[in-house]
Amino acid sequence: MKNKDHRNKMQRTQELKEQIIKYWDKAGICSFDSSTCTGDPYLASCDNFIESCLIEELIEKECQKDALGIDIGAGLGRFTVVLARHLNLVHSLEPAKNLYYKLADNCAEFNNVKLFDTDFESFNTKEKYDIAVVSGLLYLYPDTMVYEFFEKLVNHLNSGSLVVIRDFIVKSGIKEVPSVYIEGGFCYYRDLQYWRGLAKNFDLFLTEVFQSKPSYSFNRLLWLCSKLGLTRIFSMNAVKKVLLRTVKIKKKRGAIDFSSEIQTVFIVLRKK
C-alpha cells in the first residue's frame, strides 16, 4: 500500500511538472527583459534593470571569479547572462523547448555558459555549485515538491554557497490560488515564516529577503503613468536609477511594501 501511494505521488508530481513545462513551452516569455508571457515592455525593461543590478551586486560581493553557478528555470536567460559576466562557469537549465532555443541564442556570446534542456529534478550532475538562482518556479510547486527540490539542491551546494530565489510572498500565512495558466495547478504565495522554517529544515541560513522590484505606488506621478499606460517613462535611464535607489533603500531598512497583497522578492539563503 505504501509503495502504491508513493508511486501515485510521484506520478502526480511528474504530471504537474509536465503541465508547467507545457505551459511555458506554449506561452513563451514576452521579451528578454520579462519573467512573464504578458506584460508592458517598458515596465519589464525597468524591472529587469533593477533585478539584474541587485543580483549583480550579490555576485560581486559574495562570489569568487572561479565560482560555478546554476540558473534553474532560466527562461530566456536574463539572469544567466548576469551570472556569466562574473563567474567562471554557469549551468543554465530550461526544459521548455521553445524557450531553450531562444535561451541558446541569447547566450551565444558567452563561452562560459553550458545549456541543458531539462528541469532540475531530472538533471544528472555530480557538480557542486557556489551560487544557485531559482526564478519564477517554486511558487508553482506544492510544499512536497518544494521540499523534494531542496533535498536535491542542498546536495549540490558547496559549504557557504548562496541560493537566490526570485519568488512571491505574502504578509502572513500561505495564499493558495488556482492557476489560470497551469491545468490542475495552483499558485502558492508563502510568507517569511514558511521560508524561515524551510531554511532551518535544510540547515541553511536565511540571510535576507528584499523586494526585487519597485512599488510604483510610492510616487504618485509614476503610479499615475503606470495606470494610464504612459509607461515609456520607465525606459528612461534616469527613472530606472531613481527606482533602483528606492529599492536599495528598502533593502537596507529591511522593509517590504505589502500595500500590494503579493510582493515580488529575492530570498537569499546560504548553506552552512
Side-chain angles (χ1 to χ4, degrees):
M1 185 68 177
K2 189 178 288 186
N3 287 339
K4 184 178 179 181
D5 288 344
H6 179 70
R7 285 197 301 271
N8 288 339
K9 177 185 168 186
M10 292 291 290
Q11 184 178 347
R12 288 194 298 272
T13 296
Q14 185 59 32
E15 287 173 352
L16 178 56
K17 276 197 303 178
E18 288 174 359
Q19 286 297 327
I20 293 171
I21 294 168
K22 181 180 176 182
Y23 164 71
W24 284 114
D25 196 40
K26 182 179 179 181
I29 294 176
C30 63
S31 73
F32 176 79
D33 289 325
S34 181
S35 60
T36 67
C37 63
T38 60
D40 184 285
Y42 300 117
L43 286 173
S45 173
C46 184
D47 290 345
N48 184 47
F49 169 80
I50 291 165
E51 291 186 332
S52 295
C53 286
L54 294 171
I55 289 260
E56 195 162 37
E57 286 185 2
L58 266 176
I59 296 168
E60 289 175 342
K61 181 182 176 183
E62 303 289 348
C63 296
Q64 300 296 319
K65 288 287 186 181
D66 62 351
L68 174 60
I70 184 169
D71 188 2
I72 300 172
L76 298 183
R78 67 192 185 105
F79 293 146
T80 295
V81 298
V82 178
L83 292 167
R85 292 188 190 113
H86 296 275
L87 305 183
N88 182 55
L89 181 63
V90 180
H91 288 173
S92 184
L93 278 58
E94 178 49 61
K97 298 296 185 191
N98 285 329
L99 294 182
Y100 175 82
Y101 297 137
K102 294 174 183 176
L103 170 67
D105 289 339
N106 291 334
C107 296
E109 67 179 281
F110 297 98
N111 58 16
N112 62 333
V113 173
K114 194 171 182 181
L115 305 177
F116 299 88
D117 57 346
T118 183
D119 59 87
F120 178 68
E121 292 86 347
S122 306
F123 184 44
N124 186 19
T125 183
K126 294 180 181 178
E127 297 285 4
K128 293 207 169 190
Y129 297 94
D130 302 298
I131 182 170
V133 175
V134 187
S135 177
L137 176 64
L138 297 181
Y139 82 104
L140 296 171
Y141 280 13
D143 291 351
T144 53
M145 287 179 66
V146 173
Y147 272 70
E148 287 167 2
F149 179 93
F150 270 90
E151 282 175 353
K152 179 172 181 177
L153 181 61
V154 293
N155 289 321
H156 290 283
L157 297 174
N158 290 313
S159 178
S161 293
L162 286 185
V163 181
V164 183
I165 304 165
R166 182 188 180 276
D167 210 274
F168 308 94
I169 63 169
V170 291
K171 193 170 185 179
S172 63
I174 297 177
K175 185 178 177 64
E176 184 177 323
V177 181
S179 174
V180 297
Y181 304 114
I182 313 300
E183 185 178 340
F186 289 81
C187 297
Y188 302 89
Y189 304 111
R190 301 167 169 106
D191 63 4
L192 288 177
Q193 184 81 9
Y194 174 89
W195 291 105
R196 289 192 188 103
L198 183 136
K200 185 177 180 181
N201 189 76
F202 288 101
D203 207 24
L204 301 166
F205 290 114
L206 178 62
T207 62
E208 56 183 339
V209 179
F210 55 92
Q211 279 183 225
S212 69
K213 304 195 301 186
S215 301
Y216 293 103
S217 59
F218 87 97
N219 179 294
R220 190 162 185 82
L221 175 60
L222 295 179
W223 175 83
L224 192 60
C225 287
S226 65
K227 288 298 180 184
L228 294 177
L230 304 175
T231 53
R232 187 180 290 271
I233 189 175
F234 296 106
S235 66
M236 297 170 59
N237 286 333
V239 173
K240 289 179 180 180
K241 288 176 181 177
V242 167
L243 290 170
L244 175 61
R245 191 157 55 245
T246 66
V247 171
K248 285 184 177 181
I249 290 170
K250 284 180 181 291
K251 178 176 181 282
K252 191 173 182 179
R253 292 174 178 169
I256 297 175
D257 181 7
F258 283 108
S259 58
S260 173
E261 186 180 6
I262 299 167
Q263 187 57 261
T264 312
V265 296
F266 283 129
I267 301 161
V268 184
L269 307 169
R270 183 186 297 278
K271 186 175 181 181
K272 296 180 181 179

